[in-house]
PDB file of all heavy atoms in Angstrom:
ATOM      1  N   CYS A  83     -65.062  71.414 -40.756  1.00 97.00           N
ATOM      2  CA  CYS A  83     -65.107  72.675 -39.997  1.00 97.00           C
ATOM      3  C   CYS A  83     -66.066  72.603 -38.792  1.00 97.00           C
ATOM      4  O   CYS A  83     -67.188  72.103 -38.894  1.00 97.00           O
ATOM      5  CB  CYS A  83     -65.556  73.797 -40.932  1.00 97.00           C
ATOM      6  SG  CYS A  83     -65.668  75.389 -40.087  1.00 97.00           S
ATOM      7  N   ASP A  85     -66.023  75.691 -36.814  1.00 96.00           N
ATOM      8  CA  ASP A  85     -65.666  77.035 -36.388  1.00 96.00           C
ATOM      9  C   ASP A  85     -66.829  77.846 -35.828  1.00 96.00           C
ATOM     10  O   ASP A  85     -66.617  78.948 -35.322  1.00 96.00           O
ATOM     11  CB  ASP A  85     -65.042  77.807 -37.557  1.00 96.00           C
ATOM     12  CG  ASP A  85     -63.619  77.342 -37.833  1.00 96.00           C
ATOM     13  OD1 ASP A  85     -63.078  76.576 -37.019  1.00 96.00           O
ATOM     14  OD2 ASP A  85     -63.059  77.760 -38.862  1.00 96.00           O
ATOM     15  N   CYS A  86     -68.045  77.350 -35.967  1.00 97.00           N
ATOM     16  CA  CYS A  86     -69.164  78.059 -35.335  1.00 97.00           C
ATOM     17  C   CYS A  86     -70.179  77.041 -34.831  1.00 97.00           C
ATOM     18  O   CYS A  86     -70.097  75.848 -35.135  1.00 97.00           O
ATOM     19  CB  CYS A  86     -69.805  79.071 -36.283  1.00 97.00           C
ATOM     20  SG  CYS A  86     -70.985  78.374 -37.444  1.00 97.00           S
ATOM     21  N   LEU A  88     -73.070  76.339 -35.631  1.00 97.00           N
ATOM     22  CA  LEU A  88     -73.936  75.648 -36.586  1.00 97.00           C
ATOM     23  C   LEU A  88     -73.477  74.221 -36.854  1.00 97.00           C
ATOM     24  O   LEU A  88     -74.250  73.390 -37.336  1.00 97.00           O
ATOM     25  CB  LEU A  88     -74.016  76.428 -37.912  1.00 97.00           C
ATOM     26  CG  LEU A  88     -74.694  77.794 -37.840  1.00 97.00           C
ATOM     27  CD1 LEU A  88     -74.763  78.421 -39.227  1.00 97.00           C
ATOM     28  CD2 LEU A  88     -76.085  77.684 -37.245  1.00 97.00           C
ATOM     29  N   SER A  89     -72.223  73.923 -36.534  1.00 97.00           N
ATOM     30  CA  SER A  89     -71.728  72.552 -36.753  1.00 97.00           C
ATOM     31  C   SER A  89     -72.388  71.560 -35.794  1.00 97.00           C
ATOM     32  O   SER A  89     -72.417  70.356 -36.066  1.00 97.00           O
ATOM     33  CB  SER A  89     -70.207  72.502 -36.599  1.00 97.00           C
ATOM     34  OG  SER A  89     -69.845  72.752 -35.257  1.00 97.00           O
ATOM     35  N   ARG A  92     -75.742  70.014 -37.455  1.00 96.00           N
ATOM     36  CA  ARG A  92     -75.759  69.560 -38.845  1.00 96.00           C
ATOM     37  C   ARG A  92     -75.571  68.040 -38.914  1.00 96.00           C
ATOM     38  O   ARG A  92     -74.955  67.427 -38.040  1.00 96.00           O
ATOM     39  CB  ARG A  92     -74.647  70.241 -39.637  1.00 96.00           C
ATOM     40  CG  ARG A  92     -73.266  69.662 -39.329  1.00 96.00           C
ATOM     41  CD  ARG A  92     -72.162  70.350 -40.097  1.00 96.00           C
ATOM     42  NE  ARG A  92     -70.879  69.733 -39.846  1.00 96.00           N
ATOM     43  CZ  ARG A  92     -69.718  70.397 -39.817  1.00 96.00           C
ATOM     44  NH1 ARG A  92     -69.697  71.709 -40.026  1.00 96.00           N
ATOM     45  NH2 ARG A  92     -68.597  69.751 -39.603  1.00 96.00           N
ATOM     46  N   VAL A 152     -73.418  80.524 -45.296  1.00 98.00           N
ATOM     47  CA  VAL A 152     -72.924  79.505 -44.359  1.00 98.00           C
ATOM     48  C   VAL A 152     -73.185  78.127 -44.944  1.00 98.00           C
ATOM     49  O   VAL A 152     -74.127  77.937 -45.726  1.00 98.00           O
ATOM     50  CB  VAL A 152     -73.572  79.639 -42.960  1.00 98.00           C
ATOM     51  CG1 VAL A 152     -73.177  80.960 -42.315  1.00 98.00           C
ATOM     52  CG2 VAL A 152     -75.086  79.504 -43.035  1.00 98.00           C
ATOM     53  N   LYS A 153     -72.358  77.181 -44.563  1.00 98.00           N
ATOM     54  CA  LYS A 153     -72.409  75.850 -45.178  1.00 98.00           C
ATOM     55  C   LYS A 153     -73.119  74.817 -44.296  1.00 98.00           C
ATOM     56  O   LYS A 153     -73.189  73.647 -44.665  1.00 98.00           O
ATOM     57  CB  LYS A 153     -70.989  75.355 -45.481  1.00 98.00           C
ATOM     58  CG  LYS A 153     -70.098  76.372 -46.168  1.00 98.00           C
ATOM     59  CD  LYS A 153     -70.717  76.965 -47.416  1.00 98.00           C
ATOM     60  CE  LYS A 153     -69.727  77.907 -48.103  1.00 98.00           C
ATOM     61  NZ  LYS A 153     -70.408  78.816 -49.041  1.00 98.00           N
ATOM     62  N   CYS A 154     -73.600  75.237 -43.138  1.00 98.00           N
ATOM     63  CA  CYS A 154     -74.358  74.340 -42.265  1.00 98.00           C
ATOM     64  C   CYS A 154     -75.740  74.940 -42.042  1.00 98.00           C
ATOM     65  O   CYS A 154     -75.879  76.163 -41.914  1.00 98.00           O
ATOM     66  CB  CYS A 154     -73.660  74.186 -40.911  1.00 98.00           C
ATOM     67  SG  CYS A 154     -71.961  73.585 -41.034  1.00 98.00           S
ATOM     68  N   ALA A 169     -67.714  83.621 -39.421  1.00 97.00           N
ATOM     69  CA  ALA A 169     -66.896  82.413 -39.288  1.00 97.00           C
ATOM     70  C   ALA A 169     -66.792  81.658 -40.604  1.00 97.00           C
ATOM     71  O   ALA A 169     -65.780  81.012 -40.893  1.00 97.00           O
ATOM     72  CB  ALA A 169     -67.492  81.503 -38.213  1.00 97.00           C
ATOM     73  N   CYS A 170     -67.827  81.743 -41.419  1.00 98.00           N
ATOM     74  CA  CYS A 170     -67.894  80.957 -42.655  1.00 98.00           C
ATOM     75  C   CYS A 170     -67.497  81.762 -43.885  1.00 98.00           C
ATOM     76  O   CYS A 170     -67.363  81.214 -44.979  1.00 98.00           O
ATOM     77  CB  CYS A 170     -69.324  80.430 -42.834  1.00 98.00           C
ATOM     78  SG  CYS A 170     -69.428  78.844 -43.680  1.00 98.00           S
TER      79      CYS A 170
HETATM   80 FE1  LIG B 301     -67.824  75.934 -40.280  1.00 63.58          FE
HETATM   81 FE2  LIG B 301     -69.361  77.439 -41.837  1.00 63.58          FE
HETATM   82 FE3  LIG B 301     -70.377  75.215 -40.776  1.00 63.58          FE
HETATM   83 FE4  LIG B 301     -69.864  77.336 -39.195  1.00 63.58          FE
HETATM   84  S1  LIG B 301     -71.375  77.239 -40.898  1.00 63.58           S
HETATM   85  S2  LIG B 301     -69.313  75.198 -38.767  1.00 63.58           S
HETATM   86  S3  LIG B 301     -68.015  78.180 -40.158  1.00 63.58           S
HETATM   87  S4  LIG B 301     -68.699  75.340 -42.281  1.00 63.58           S
END
Side-chain angles (χ1 to χ4, degrees):
C83 179
D85 285 350
C86 82
L88 294 183
S89 67
R92 75 181 183 213
V152 296
K153 313 307 184 198
C154 303
C170 211

